[in-house]
Amino acid sequence: MATFISVPLKKSSEVDLVKPLSKFVTATYPQGEEQAEYLRAVDELNKLRKSALGRPLDKHESSLEILLRYYDQLCAIEPKFPFPELCLTFTWKDAFDKGSLFGGSVKLALASVGYEKTCVLFNVGALASQIASEQNLDNDEGLKTAAKFYQLASGAFAHIKDTVLSALNREPTMDISPETVGTLSQIMLSQAQEVFVLKATADKMKDAIVAKLANQAADYYGDAFKQCQYKENLPKEVLPVLAAKHCMMQATAELHQSALANQKKKFGEEIARLQHATELVKTAASRYDEYVNVKDLSDKISRALTAAKKDNDFIYHDRVPEVKDLEHIGKASLVKATAVQTPLSQKFTDLFEKMVPMAVQQSVSAANSRKADTVNRLIGSMREATNLCNGVLASLNLPAALEDLTGDAVPQSILEKSRAIVQQGGLQSIEQLIKDLPELLQRNREILDESLKMLDDEETTDNELRAKFNQRWNRTPSGDLYKPLRAEGNNFRNILDKAVQADQVVRERYTAHCEMIALLCKPENELSAAIPSANPAKTLQGSEVVNVLRAQLAQLDEVKREREVLEGEVKSVTFDMTTKFLTALAQDGAINEEVMTASELETRYGSHTQRVQQNLRRQEELLSQIQVSHQEFSALKQSNSEANNREEVLKKLASAHDSYIEISSNIKEGTKFYNDLTEILLKFQNKCSDIVFARKTERDELLKELQQSIAREPSAPSFNVPSYQSNTPAPASGGPTPAPRTVFTPQQPQAKPQPPARPPPPAITPQAASTAAPVSTPVAPSSTNPPPVAPPTGPSQAQGPPYPTYQGYPGYYQMPVAYNPYAYGQFNMPYMPYQAQGQAGYPGGPPAQQPYPYPQQPPQQQPYYPQQ
């Protein structure tokens, strides 16, 4: 007989952790030793789940250790992986639901690692209760182990009670509902207290202590019984066991308190307590003997009561008080639910120890974004200054104007620009890059459109099913779930639209400078022929203005080189905020990323920002000086139309070179942007595909559960079957009436009372007896059944109902094997009047005047059965 209650384990469906977790690792961490280590850890985690949940567990501490390690690992990785985005769906069955033939067992599937943790912790409590129930309570070690595991189980269930609603964000199954796990926690605590009562008894502690321990155990069992009264999902034997244990612990407390009363010479109180204990034990034995064994306790109390009464009757003659007048027994609790504090396992080692939590990862990502903004701002300001400088010099035709003092040769700076363009591929390379841009753009648009279409299709299906099932369709609406993804998709679309506008600007600029770029790509002789020649009026070689202008241009070149060095230094600055974020998270429980990153950026880039600003101010001063010097230089030069045409062409060539460099850089950046965006959009598409697949799986599970629940629902309200339909079908109108016969009912209904005894059969008149066939003589075979028996002429007596339905009804007997009221005529079987032992036979019918195919109902004026 079961004296301790243990909880069954929940069962889980198989889940593949490798694919989604590995996808996140490969997408987040670059290839290398770190990524390979995390991928191996993912495989180990998947194996650990299979060991903990994918096989039957022995009722042993080693099996519990596996569950504890898996729970600890779930707690460790929960902040390190974006589980809501991974769409990992965990399916668990109700531990107490046995299912039905058509409906199956109740189960719940959720894409929540909190749900997985809750169910695993439930199994920790369940297995701990099973291990405790298997202990040998006859030795001290078994008692200590049982008490430890009952308290662990109580703590696990209590933790679920406090956290399940916040972990699931929806209604849980009945087994992990706060009410159920709260009751289980109280039951486990009661059993732990009972174990301490057994240990105190075995250690022969003072009766006062044992009485208080037992009274506290009875109190715990009473609370558990009250909580359990309305829990229909718990096993049916739980309630009687709790009630019996309450009585037994209270009786134990009274037994030991009676011994204390004996020691204090309160013999009347001793007898009163023993009598009360006897009543409690009798109650447990009479009502719950099927579930608990109270014989040993009952015998001990009986012996003590007999001895106490004997002594009191012959020696002490102490008055026996009423039970209500007795002093209340004190209470002493030695148990406490074990608090759930990770790690639960002493052997736990985090498989992902080096992986930082998601909060830190997100903070690092935000810090890197701020760092990139700072770097781009500094580099962008320097490049903008360089473009401004080149534009000003091109408009002044410098340094070409200083090199072109002869008026007929190609300036050296123009030749260098021409060679630079040719080395970079000339027009062909830039035209090919421009030609590839629309294809890259179209590819990204198709990926984005396909991703959003998957979301649209699933959301449409979800809305249709929601409209069909109304409140039964109780999962999160797809429209609400997809809001972050749609916002991300709209952001990508805006980025693509801006990229299209940038592409158009680059094309327009290329079109404006295409002719001059093509001219720079030609050989030197063709380039020289295309540039107009001009004979200067006087020679400016060695002029002070020319020397000053050249010196200023040299200083400007130095400023530009300084910017190049400074740009390299800005790009080379590296720092990692991970350690600081981890420290902040450990100390404060939160990360103020913005403040911490701003402080670090100021420290790292403060000096560079000052140097960039100084460089830009120095360039601005030099450009102002160059413009003044160029005005003096232009005044010294002899101006004519040929010279002006030549200078204009040289300006366009210089500007074409600068535009080529900028356009080529822009297009390469655009190409890289589209290729990088393709990878990002493919990840976005995989994310959409994963969540749509998870939603489809969840939808199929929910549809299956709805179909099963609909199948279990009654199609119409319950109603009582009419009595005339309860045994035999009514005969068709105008058809023959079956012969009266008894009906065998396999199981006697419990609610119906026994009917009165059947009276003897009516007396038979001599006339009827002479016409009736003898009982011992069978009726001659005939093709038709005999007619109904005629009623007696004397006063009728009740014969009982024609269709008795009570097993054991007086006058009811099982049918002979050959009995078949419809087979007499077909098989020419003789009609054998059946006579029960100790009962007179029924009178036979008169000779048949006309055969009937089946027995007919007699006229209503003469009832078929004698009436009272």
Side-chain angles (χ1 to χ4, degrees), residues 106-169:
V106 175
K107 57 184 176 181
L108 177 63
L110 287 180
S112 166
V113 71
Y115 177 51
E116 175 85 346
K117 284 171 51 183
T118 299
C119 295
V120 172
L121 188 58
F122 182 93
N123 276 6
V124 168
L127 187 58
S129 72
Q130 295 177 14
I131 295 173
S133 299
E134 292 292 318
Q135 298 302 312
N136 181 8
L137 302 183
D138 294 334
N139 59 65
D140 191 65
E141 187 64 30
L143 290 168
K144 291 180 180 179
T145 304
K148 180 181 76 170
F149 283 116
Y150 279 135
Q151 292 176 87
L152 174 61
S154 179
F157 293 132
H159 186 78
I160 296 174
K161 176 186 177 182
D162 297 336
T163 60
V164 62
L165 295 181
S166 59
L168 269 63
N169 291 324

Side-chain angles (χ1 to χ4, degrees), residues 16-29 35 38-43 81 86 352:
D16 182 17
L17 300 176
V18 175
K19 183 179 178 181
L21 297 185
S22 298
K23 186 182 294 186
F24 170 77
V25 169
T26 53
T28 306
Y29 299 93
Q35 184 191 101
Y38 291 153
L39 291 177
R40 289 193 295 270
V42 168
D43 289 333
F81 285 89
L86 298 179
F352 301 87

Side-chain angles (χ1 to χ4, degrees), residues 217-279:
D219 196 40
Y220 281 154
Y221 275 119
D223 292 342
F225 178 82
K226 293 175 184 176
Q227 296 179 26
C228 191
Q229 275 184 306
Y230 304 104
K231 303 295 186 299
E232 298 180 356
N233 60 314
L234 293 178
K236 63 179 182 179
E237 64 270 12
V238 171
L239 200 62
V241 168
L242 295 178
K245 287 298 188 72
H246 173 72
C247 293
M248 292 173 65
M249 287 295 102
Q250 200 170 351
T252 303
E254 295 289 357
L255 173 63
H256 287 273
Q257 193 69 19
S258 71
L260 186 63
N262 180 275
Q263 296 168 13
K264 295 180 179 180
K265 308 300 182 180
K266 297 180 180 180
F267 304 107
E269 178 184 342
E270 176 189 12
I271 295 173
R273 292 193 180 278
L274 289 172
Q275 288 176 343
H276 187 208
T278 303
E279 293 174 359

Side-chain angles (χ1 to χ4, degrees), residues 844-855:
Q849 302 298 326
Q850 185 177 354
Y852 294 95
Y854 293 100

Side-chain angles (χ1 to χ4, degrees), residues 291-306:
Y291 304 99
V292 294
N293 187 351
V294 297
K295 186 176 186 303
D296 293 340
L297 179 60
S298 178
D299 292 345
K300 186 183 297 185
I301 294 173
S302 178
R303 288 194 298 269
L305 179 59
T306 301

Side-chain angles (χ1 to χ4, degrees), residues 355-492:
M355 183 181 288
V356 297
M358 283 300 300
V360 176
Q361 293 182 33
Q362 292 169 356
S363 298
V364 169
S365 177
N368 290 336
S369 178
R370 297 181 192 276
K371 173 188 173 184
D373 291 342
T374 302
V375 171
N376 292 337
R377 177 172 51 80
L378 292 174
I379 294 177
S381 62
M382 289 189 287
R383 289 182 178 179
E384 185 179 353
T386 300
N387 292 335
L388 175 63
C389 176
N390 293 337
V392 171
L393 294 180
S395 66
L396 301 177
N397 194 25
L398 293 175
L402 297 178
E403 298 167 354
D404 189 34
L405 298 179
T406 60
D408 52 1
V410 180
Q412 185 63 30
S413 61
I414 298 298
L415 290 177
E416 291 177 357
K417 291 180 181 0
S418 174
R419 285 194 290 269
I421 290 178
V422 172
Q423 287 177 358
Q424 294 187 30
L427 276 180
Q428 284 186 346
S429 64
I430 202 169
E431 286 179 349
Q432 184 62 39
L433 290 173
I434 292 176
K435 182 181 178 182
D436 292 341
L437 286 180
E439 297 181 4
L440 298 175
L441 172 66
Q442 183 62 26
R443 179 180 64 187
N444 287 332
R445 283 194 184 280
E446 290 175 355
I447 295 173
L448 181 59
D449 292 341
E450 180 63 27
S451 302
L452 296 178
K453 184 177 182 297
M454 287 191 292
L455 300 182
D456 292 338
D457 294 344
E458 201 284 326
E459 184 174 353
T460 301
T461 304
D462 181 69
N463 292 336
E464 291 175 353
L465 291 171
R466 190 175 305 281
K468 180 178 180 181
F469 292 106
N470 298 324
Q471 287 81 6
R472 291 189 176 189
W473 197 252
N474 56 356
R475 70 171 185 168
T476 306
S478 296
D480 297 341
L481 193 64
Y482 295 158
K483 282 181 180 179
L485 290 175
R486 292 196 181 279
E488 194 174 354
N490 292 333
N491 184 37
F492 288 139

